[in-house]
Amino acid sequence: MNSKVEICGVNTSKLPVLKSDEKKQLFERILAGDEAAREKYIYGNLRLVLSIIQRFNNRGEYVDDIFQVGCIGLIKAIDNFDVTQGVQFSTYAVPMIIGEIRRYLRDNNSIRVSRSLRDTAYKALQVKERMISQNSKEPTIEEIAKELDMPKEDVIFALDAIQDPISLFEPIYHDGSDAIFVMDQVSDEKNTDSSWLENLSLTEALKRLNDREKLILNLRFFEGKTQMEVADEIGISQAQVSRLEKSALKNMKKYIS
């Protein structure tokens, strides 16, 4: 998949990258019913689809098919995106695209899962997507179970039955530079105090960092926040948080004996 340049007739090496102000202007035109702007916005986000489908490259499916399904998820995300919620489009679109691909893979999966479990899981996923669209955040299992009027355990069991295990090191997004991995989305529940830094005698190394790098490391390792949460708090992209975090840790290693 990584070596295939042309997918579904699209030369992936020449896909454009839309700037933030350009995305904003295009979406304003989309909301006004401009189909040309909608097409341009779709084409300008195909790199996002391309980055997501990398995680599905060992499923034995044709990359063209996965790419087309991912594009359907992208289009659904564009058509349902609420600009008033104050979240970045990629934050909203990534789970929509992944969900569309996973549905396709489940429908074409050779592993048999009972029809009742599949029906429960599909209903739960539909509720999840609807609540994400309405609230711009992922609902809890308890909220999904309440909406379906069934025990939480039944929802968990059904969703587990149709899920495939994934590696913490699988990339879920990249913007042409550093990739963001599954592990970057996981909160650090263990290192929520100063013990990590104190035990490794990193006080002096921290002093070598600039204020933004100190803030990011504090939020990530002292407060245990995800990169997405850090990005929202300080007003930059998650990709930028990832790069700054890695750079800060790399610089600190120079001063650790």
Side-chain angles (χ1 to χ4, degrees), residues 206-217:
L206 272 173
K207 292 180 181 179
R208 309 274 182 168
L209 303 179
N210 61 44
D211 291 341
R212 173 173 279 189
E213 291 173 332
K214 289 178 184 176
L215 176 59
I216 289 173
L217 292 188

Side-chain angles (χ1 to χ4, degrees), residues 68-95:
Q68 287 185 52
V69 175
C71 289
I72 293 174
L74 171 64
I75 293 171
K76 287 184 177 180
I78 292 173
D79 291 343
N80 292 281
F81 183 57
D82 186 354
V83 295
T84 65
Q85 295 299 317
V87 298
Q88 293 186 0
F89 174 73
S90 59
T91 302
Y92 176 78
V94 167

Side-chain angles (χ1 to χ4, degrees), residues 9-115:
V10 177
N11 188 333
T12 59
S13 66
K14 296 182 178 180
L15 288 175
V17 177
L18 298 176
K19 297 180 180 179
S20 297
D21 57 345
E22 189 177 7
K23 290 180 180 179
K24 183 178 179 180
Q25 293 172 4
L26 283 174
F27 227 100
E28 290 175 353
R29 291 167 53 191
I30 291 173
L31 293 176
D34 189 331
E35 286 297 323
R38 182 172 178 272
E39 291 296 323
K40 186 174 181 179
Y41 200 89
I42 292 171
Y43 195 68
N45 280 279
L46 290 183
R47 283 187 181 274
L48 179 61
V49 177
L50 189 65
S51 68
I52 291 172
I53 66 175
Q54 306 302 313
R55 66 181 297 176
F56 300 99
N57 62 354
N58 294 319
R59 304 300 181 93
E61 299 285 339
Y62 289 112
V63 60
D64 296 68
D65 293 340
I66 299 296
F67 184 73
Q68 287 185 52
V69 175
C71 289
I72 293 174
L74 171 64
I75 293 171
K76 287 184 177 180
I78 292 173
D79 291 343
N80 292 281
F81 183 57
D82 186 354
V83 295
T84 65
Q85 295 299 317
V87 298
Q88 293 186 0
F89 174 73
S90 59
T91 302
Y92 176 78
V94 167
M96 292 281 286
I97 296 169
I98 292 176
E100 197 70 30
I101 294 174
R102 282 182 172 169
R103 270 194 299 275
Y104 168 79
L105 293 174
R106 284 195 297 269
D107 290 341
N108 291 275
N109 197 342
S110 59
I111 299 176
R112 303 298 296 177
V113 178
S114 73
R115 182 61 182 268

Side-chain angles (χ1 to χ4, degrees), residues 168-180:
L168 286 173
F169 295 95
E170 285 194 40
I172 59 171
Y173 175 70
H174 68 79
D175 62 353
S177 53
D178 294 330
I180 294 174

